[in-house]
């Protein structure tokens, strides 16, 4: 498992444990249920009929999951018991570690059958599933703790020393790298311990164009004289690797010097030959996670003499800079909420920033810290040089504006905009390197998203996504008969599932065609931008529906033996079985992260909206469900075009201005359109919540991942009149993936500085999958 990344070790151990349990080889095998395992990997989370009776504290998605779980015979009474003992279940639900607590009532007995308890945790607290699976493995796999904690007590150099003992002249060490790691420092230390001279008896080659001949020459010398050779970036020269294998085979036949060692490294790549990997001892090298480990690592990246000899101001700024570096690297763990795009920030950026800082401070004659200059250097050139997304660049600069100021020299609060005194980290007084490290150990007791400016709920979202990925991989392995073997009777044949779903989908959408010609005829005498939007939407949905019909009818013929099953049909069968949207459909549809069953419901709602609009195409819908449009930007452009025509204003100087409607429900807004612009609804706020009574942004409630927004009035206004220092320009995205799904920015009122919401990654999302 040393050749696996941490996330893949968890997958491997879970797969191993479930496999052994299914075969009856574990003490807990008596709890195994094929039906329960199917639910654990791929529960049916589609919307159920009826209201959520526990909506006061339980999300609709969780209640839907519980009602689906009740279909299993062992859980028939769970929904009723939750209603009757609502306060006790609520306490369990709100517990910070519910997997360690007994469930209320007779359900407490599930602690003796933890496999079945996993199903309840999956429904109610999916964010805790990864921890629950880890506990399950530790409890049920023989020596589970040893498997789970393998090498956890060793640092990277100690692990290298242990593995080096298993290497030989014919067995290289292969490092699989990840961003932010530094293998060479450990190898340098290892070579120094053997008395090797860098550049002569210990050589390092970064592979690339023309370096194959250099590497070959050095290897031929090293295998005869007993040198250490390091070949970096193997993934850049995959075509040369068969030659390297032949060279190593020749060395083996000739007999190499007993001290000869070869070290290889590359990024994860599918271009490395399996035979090359098979002959090596593989090691993953991952950067440490967590604020404490990263802050210590960042601060120790500066030469001790440089820190000790710096004046008090430089020391304080170096500590603040180290914290900034940690915030930038750790935010990547939180996915799109942290950054729209993952950037390769490294310790080299931190060291370069320190050099620039020192140069500026030495050249500053006034004794005043040039904050504006160093913020620009750090945020626009060194760290900003990696950043290509405008919102990510704004985030980087906002964090620098918070940190790089005079207060940093006077023990300021480093955690941005924290509201709790229990969550805090002050900038320490200038001191020695040892005292800085002691300060870090004493004052950082755990990790929290608030350390990086994020809302505490960001961790729930992050952990939920991790759990979803783990079970998606397990389900994929099972689908390939890699878990439990091909004879597993519990695995429903993909073809049978596909046949059933094909009939259901064709019955539901097979005859659905939107009459574009009728709309064109009704609007032939009047033409408006909104009518063009309607025709565009109808055309896009018709193309999608046509492809769905074509592919499903073709698949039906394949099942009947009238056509040969092609590769495309195989992909469609697998997609239907895995409950994911087929690729040929997704290419013609809108960005979505939904499962296929949920996606079909979404499609039906979109068709219903367009059908209602097409009944009276000369008028715009009173309130438009903006997320239900394939091209929402087209609708917003139509608003600007309408204003441009009415006011004779150039289109390129207009932008969308938003006003959140106060004291009016969706039904109230349906009665009459706004005087200017158009009403929209269906957006959700992530990272914060909307205060309905005060009409401004506020901090999310505990465990509240999304907040449904009221109706919003979108109107066009000149760009120079939109700027408002008291408003947060909130990005609106189509899906939780953010990034390329950006639509526009909404102006939302806030009582606090917009910087708080920028760092919290607050955004409006059109489709959150509910």
């Amino acid at each position: 498992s040393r050749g696996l990344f941490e996330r893949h070790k968890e997958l491997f151990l879970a797969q191993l444990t479930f496999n052994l349990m299914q075969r009856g080889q574990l003490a807990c095998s008596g709890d195994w249920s094929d039906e329960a395992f199917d639910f654990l990997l791929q529960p049916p989370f589609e919307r159920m009929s009826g209201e959520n009776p526990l909506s006061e504290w339980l999300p609709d998605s969780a209640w839907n999951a519980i009602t689906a779980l009740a279909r299993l015979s062992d859980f028939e009474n769970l929904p009723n018991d939750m209603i009757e003992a609502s306060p006790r279940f609520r306490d369990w639900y709100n517990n910070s570690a519910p997997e360690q607590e007994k469930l209320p009532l007779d359900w407490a007995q599930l602690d003796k059958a933890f496999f079945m308890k996993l199903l309840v945790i999956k429904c109610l607290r999916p964010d805790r599933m990864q921890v629950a699976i880890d506990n399950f493995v530790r409890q049920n796999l023989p020596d589970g703790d040893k498997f789970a904690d393998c090498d956890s007590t060793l640092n990277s150099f100690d692990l290298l020393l242990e593995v080096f003992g298993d290497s030989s002249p014919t067995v290289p060490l292969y490092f699989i790298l990840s961003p932010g790691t530094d293998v060479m420092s450990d190898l340098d230390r290892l070579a120094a311990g053997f008395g090797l001279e860098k550049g002569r008896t210990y050589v390092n080659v970064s592979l690339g164009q023309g370096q194959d001949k250099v590497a070959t020459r050095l290897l031929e010398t090293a295998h005869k004289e007993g040198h250490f050779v390091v070949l970096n970036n193997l993934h850049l020269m995959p075509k040369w690797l068969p030659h390297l294998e032949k060279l190593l085979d020749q060395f083996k036949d000739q007999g190499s010097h007993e001290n000869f060692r070869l070290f290889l490294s590359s990024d994860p790549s599918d271009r490395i030959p399996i035979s090359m990997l098979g002959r090596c001892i593989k090691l993953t090298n991952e950067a440490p996670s967590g604020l404490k480990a990263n802050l210590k690592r960042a601060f120790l990246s500066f030469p001790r003499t440089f820190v000790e000899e710096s004046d008090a101001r430089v020391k304080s700024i170096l500590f603040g800079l180290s914290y900034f570096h940690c915030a930038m690297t750790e935010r990547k763990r939180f996915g799109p909420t942290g950054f729209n795009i993952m950037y390769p920030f490294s310790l080299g950026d931190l060291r370069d920033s320190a050099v620039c800082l020192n140069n500026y401070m030495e050249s500053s004659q006034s004794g005043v810290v040039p904050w504006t200059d160093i913020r620009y250097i750090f945020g626009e050139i060194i760290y900003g040089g990696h950043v290509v997304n405008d919102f990510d660049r704004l985030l980087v600069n906002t964090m620098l504006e918070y940190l790089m100021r005079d207060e940093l020299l006077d023990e300021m609060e480093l955690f941005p905009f924290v509201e709790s005194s229990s969550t805090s980290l002050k900038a320490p007084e200038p001191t020695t390197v040892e005292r800085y490290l002691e300060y870090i150990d004493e004052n950082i007791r755990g990790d929290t998203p608030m350390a990086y400016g994020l809302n505490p709920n960001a961790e729930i979202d992050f952990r939920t996504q991790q759990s979803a990925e783990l079970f998606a991989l397990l389900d994929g392995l099972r689908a390939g008969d890699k878990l439990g073997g091909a004879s597993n009777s519990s695995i429903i044949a993909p073809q049978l599932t596909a046949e059933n779903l094909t009939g259901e989908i064709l019955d539901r959408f097979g005859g659905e065609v939107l009459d574009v010609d009728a709309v064109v005829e009704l609007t032939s005498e009047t033409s408006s931008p909104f009518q063009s939007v309607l025709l565009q939407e109808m055309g896009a949905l018709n193309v999608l529906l046509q492809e769905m019909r074509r592919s499903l009818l073709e698949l039906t013929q394949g099942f009947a033996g009238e056509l040969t099953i092609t590769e495309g049909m195989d992909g469609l069968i697998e997609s239907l079985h895995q409950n994911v949207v087929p690729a040929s459909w997704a290419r013609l549809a809108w960005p979505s992260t939904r499962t296929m069953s949920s996606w079909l419901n979404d499609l039906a709602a979109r068709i219903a909206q367009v059908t209602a609009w097409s009944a009276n195409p000369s008028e715009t819908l009173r309130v438009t469900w903006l997320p239900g449009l394939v091209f929402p930007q087209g609708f917003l452009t139509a608003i600007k075009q309408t204003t441009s025509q009415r006011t004779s204003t150039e289109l390129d100087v207009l932008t969308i201005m938003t006003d959140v409607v106060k004291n009016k429900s969706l039904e109230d807004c349906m009665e009459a359109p706004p005087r200017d612009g158009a009403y929209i609804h269906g957006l959700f706020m992530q990272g914060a919540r909307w205060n309905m009574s005060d009409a401004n942004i506020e901090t999310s409630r505990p465990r509240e991942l999304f907040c449904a927004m009221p109706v919003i009035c979108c109107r066009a206004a000149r760009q120079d009149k939109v700027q408002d220092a008291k408003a947060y320009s909130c990005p609106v995205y189509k899906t939780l993936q953010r990034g390329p799904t950006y639509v526009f920015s909404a102006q939302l009122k806030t009582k606090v500085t917009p910087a708080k919401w920028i760092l919290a990654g607050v955004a409006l999302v059109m489709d959150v999958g509910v």
Side-chain angles (χ1 to χ4, degrees):
S1 66
R2 286 169 172 167
L4 298 175
F5 289 113
E6 286 300 323
R7 63 185 184 277
H8 295 143
K9 288 178 184 177
E10 295 169 355
L11 172 66
F12 170 71
L13 290 176
Q15 181 192 12
L16 177 63
T17 305
F18 287 131
N19 196 2
L20 292 174
M21 184 181 179
Q22 186 179 13
R23 293 179 180 180
Q25 296 176 344
L26 296 180
C28 63
S29 292
D31 300 331
W32 179 265
S33 161
D34 293 335
E35 191 179 22
F37 190 59
D38 289 341
F39 186 94
L40 186 66
L41 294 194
Q42 201 178 59
F45 282 123
E46 67 269 16
R47 186 174 299 279
M48 310 296 288
S49 59
E51 295 295 322
N52 173 10
L54 304 175
S55 57
E56 183 181 345
W57 59 271
L58 189 68
D60 289 347
S61 58
W63 178 252
N64 291 340
I66 285 293
T67 53
L69 179 60
R71 299 176 188 172
L72 275 62
S73 57
D74 292 335
F75 296 93
E76 291 174 349
N77 298 325
L78 182 57
N80 289 333
D81 287 346
M82 287 183 64
I83 295 172
E84 293 175 5
S86 176
R88 295 179 62 184
F89 275 96
R90 181 176 187 170
D91 290 342
W92 182 90
Y93 173 80
N94 289 325
N95 195 286
S96 59
E99 71 282 353
Q100 298 177 8
E101 300 294 326
K102 289 185 177 181
L103 283 158
L105 307 180
D106 293 341
W107 300 103
Q109 298 299 317
L110 290 182
D111 273 20
K112 298 177 182 178
F114 200 80
F115 175 72
M116 303 302 282
K117 186 177 180 179
L118 289 175
L119 307 186
V120 182
I121 299 172
K122 179 73 179 283
C123 294
L124 297 179
R125 289 293 301 274
D127 58 299
R128 299 300 300 175
M129 275 306 292
Q130 203 166 18
V131 179
I133 289 292
D134 181 67
N135 292 343
F136 179 73
V137 168
R138 290 174 182 273
Q139 293 171 11
N140 295 288
L141 192 66
D143 292 322
D145 286 334
K146 292 182 180 179
F147 277 100
D149 296 330
C150 178
D151 300 327
S152 62
T153 59
L154 302 178
N155 61 33
S156 60
F157 182 71
D158 292 337
L159 181 59
L160 176 59
L161 280 179
E162 186 169 309
V163 175
F164 182 80
D166 298 328
S167 68
S168 71
T170 59
V171 180
L173 287 181
Y174 194 117
F175 295 93
I176 305 172
L177 306 177
S178 60
T181 58
D182 184 13
V183 171
M184 290 311 303
S185 60
D186 287 338
L187 289 177
D188 289 347
R189 185 177 170 188
L190 179 69
F194 282 90
L196 301 180
E197 181 182 345
K198 195 169 186 177
R200 196 179 68 84
T201 56
Y202 164 56
V203 292
N204 173 22
V205 180
S206 292
L207 294 178
Q209 188 173 9
Q211 293 300 300
D212 50 343
K213 295 180 181 178
V214 176
T216 301
R217 176 172 51 80
L218 290 173
L219 285 169
E220 289 175 345
T221 302
H223 106 95
K224 296 175 183 177
E225 301 182 7
H227 300 170
F228 281 12
V229 177
V230 183
L231 300 182
N232 289 307
N233 303 325
L234 256 66
H235 58 285
L236 298 181
M237 297 189 68
K239 294 182 179 179
W240 179 71
L241 296 184
H243 173 74
L244 175 61
E245 289 190 79
K246 292 180 182 178
L247 199 61
L248 294 177
D249 289 336
Q250 292 175 13
F251 293 167
K252 183 177 181 180
D253 294 338
Q254 297 171 10
S256 299
H257 192 287
E258 62 179 1
N259 292 333
F260 167 62
R261 292 293 186 277
L262 174 61
F263 304 90
L264 308 171
S265 76
S266 78
D267 290 345
S269 173
D270 58 2
R271 303 177 69 190
I272 308 298
I274 296 296
S275 55
M276 186 76 233
L277 294 170
R279 72 196 307 157
C280 301
I281 297 174
K282 294 164 287 295
L283 278 176
T284 53
N285 198 274
E286 296 182 88
S289 61
L291 179 60
K292 179 184 288 188
N294 267 298
L295 188 53
K296 291 171 73 173
R297 179 170 177 259
F299 199 74
L300 287 174
S301 68
F302 306 128
R304 284 178 178 259
T305 53
F306 170 65
V307 177
E308 301 288 2
E309 294 173 3
S310 298
D311 63 32
R313 293 179 306 167
V314 172
K315 286 182 178 180
S316 294
I317 298 173
L318 285 176
F319 191 87
L321 185 59
S322 298
Y323 169 76
F324 166 76
H325 174 79
C326 293
M328 294 298 100
T329 54
E330 284 294 293
R331 283 184 70 101
K332 292 189 290 184
R333 289 197 301 124
F334 299 93
T337 305
F339 278 110
N340 280 289
I341 300 172
M342 299 297 105
Y343 301 106
F345 300 127
S346 68
L347 289 175
D349 299 318
L350 179 61
R351 288 191 287 263
D352 291 343
S353 299
V355 171
C356 290
L357 169 66
N358 192 52
N359 292 340
Y360 264 86
M361 295 300 288
E362 287 181 352
S363 60
S364 178
Q365 302 296 327
S366 62
V368 177
V369 179
W371 293 115
T372 303
D373 292 345
I374 63 175
R375 282 197 298 261
Y376 183 85
I377 292 293
F378 300 161
E380 296 290 344
I381 298 176
I382 299 178
Y383 285 87
H386 296 289
V387 180
V388 296
N389 181 276
D390 290 341
F391 293 104
D392 291 343
R393 185 177 297 276
L394 176 63
L395 188 152
V396 171
N397 286 316
T398 302
M399 180 66 87
L400 284 169
E401 288 173 5
Y402 176 82
L403 292 172
M404 297 296 145
R405 50 195 172 106
D406 288 331
E407 288 80 358
L408 181 63
L409 310 179
D410 190 26
E411 301 182 37
M412 68 171 273
E413 175 60 59
L414 293 178
F415 290 177
F417 308 109
V418 291
E419 300 173 356
S420 170
S421 58
S422 61
T423 305
S424 173
L425 179 66
K426 304 286 186 181
E429 294 181 354
T431 182
T432 63
V433 173
E434 285 72 20
R435 284 295 302 142
Y436 273 120
L437 298 179
E438 290 176 13
Y439 181 85
I440 294 171
D441 282 328
E442 294 168 359
N443 290 274
I444 301 178
R445 296 179 178 84
D447 265 357
T448 170
M450 291 187 288
Y452 320 116
L454 294 165
N455 187 279
N457 293 332
E459 187 166 18
I460 298 173
D461 197 22
F462 161 66
R463 289 186 177 276
T464 302
Q465 184 60 33
Q466 278 191 324
S467 298
E469 291 173 359
L470 172 65
F471 283 101
L473 289 170
L474 278 171
D475 194 40
L477 290 173
R478 181 185 66 154
D481 291 333
K482 296 177 182 177
L483 183 61
S487 62
N488 179 14
S489 59
S490 73
I491 299 178
I492 301 173
Q495 181 169 329
L496 178 61
T497 306
E499 285 182 13
N500 293 334
L501 286 175
T502 296
E504 292 177 12
I505 297 171
L506 284 174
D507 289 343
R508 189 175 181 185
F509 298 102
E512 195 76 63
V513 179
L514 299 171
D515 195 346
V516 176
D517 293 336
V519 173
V520 171
E521 185 177 341
L522 287 172
T523 58
S524 58
E525 297 181 2
T526 61
S527 177
S528 74
F530 288 108
Q531 291 166 5
S532 298
V533 172
L534 173 59
L535 292 172
Q536 185 184 31
E537 292 293 318
M538 295 177 72
L541 290 174
N542 274 339
V543 170
L544 172 60
L545 290 167
Q546 182 180 358
E547 170 59 22
M548 291 171 62
R549 280 192 298 272
R550 183 204 64 77
S551 58
L552 291 174
L553 289 172
E554 185 181 76
L555 188 59
T556 302
Q557 290 178 299
F559 290 149
E562 298 173 9
L563 291 176
T564 303
I565 299 293
T566 63
E567 185 177 347
M569 292 183 191
D570 271 333
L572 180 57
I573 292 171
E574 189 62 28
S575 295
L576 293 171
H577 176 63
Q578 294 293 325
N579 198 24
V580 298
V581 181
S584 64
W585 301 3
R587 280 194 296 269
L588 300 173
W590 50 92
S592 178
T593 58
R594 292 173 179 258
T595 60
M596 189 183 63
S597 53
S598 177
W599 183 87
L600 291 173
N601 292 336
D602 189 44
L603 171 61
R606 290 168 183 265
I607 293 173
Q609 173 171 254
V610 171
T611 301
W613 190 357
S614 63
N616 188 7
S618 59
E619 293 186 10
T620 310
L621 293 172
R622 295 286 175 84
V623 183
T624 302
W625 176 42
L626 190 66
L629 300 180
V630 180
F631 305 107
Q633 292 96 327
F635 184 83
L636 298 172
T637 301
I639 295 175
K640 293 192 290 185
Q641 289 174 329
T642 303
T643 300
S644 176
Q645 294 170 2
R646 188 182 72 249
T647 62
S648 300
T649 306
E650 298 91 337
L651 186 63
D652 58 357
V653 303
L654 294 175
T655 189
I656 292 296
M657 184 73 180
T658 57
D659 299 301
V660 180
V661 177
K662 188 177 180 181
N663 299 325
K664 289 181 75 174
S665 66
L666 176 61
E667 291 73 19
D668 293 335
C669 294
M670 288 284 191
E671 295 178 0
R675 286 177 293 179
D676 185 17
Y679 286 139
I680 64 167
H681 77 104
L683 303 185
F684 293 83
M685 182 175 288
Q686 183 185 27
R689 72 185 314 274
W690 184 256
N691 186 312
M692 300 288 188
S693 57
D694 293 343
N696 60 54
I697 310 176
E698 66 178 16
T699 303
S700 296
R701 294 169 180 164
R703 299 198 51 74
E704 183 182 45
L705 300 183
F706 310 108
C707 170
M709 291 293 292
V711 174
I712 298 174
C713 179
C714 292
R715 55 188 174 84
R718 293 183 63 92
Q719 295 176 10
D720 54 4
K721 294 183 179 180
V722 172
Q723 300 299 325
D724 184 355
K726 294 183 179 180
Y728 168 53
S729 183
C730 183
V732 180
Y733 299 98
K734 294 180 182 178
T735 73
L736 294 172
Q737 293 174 326
R738 300 195 180 190
T741 68
Y742 172 75
V743 181
F744 75 110
S745 292
Q747 295 74 39
L748 302 178
K749 293 181 180 179
T750 172
K751 290 183 178 180
V752 300
T753 172
K756 176 176 180 176
W757 312 122
I758 293 171
L759 295 182
V762 175
L764 294 179
V765 182
M766 291 186 172
D767 185 4
V768 297
V770 296

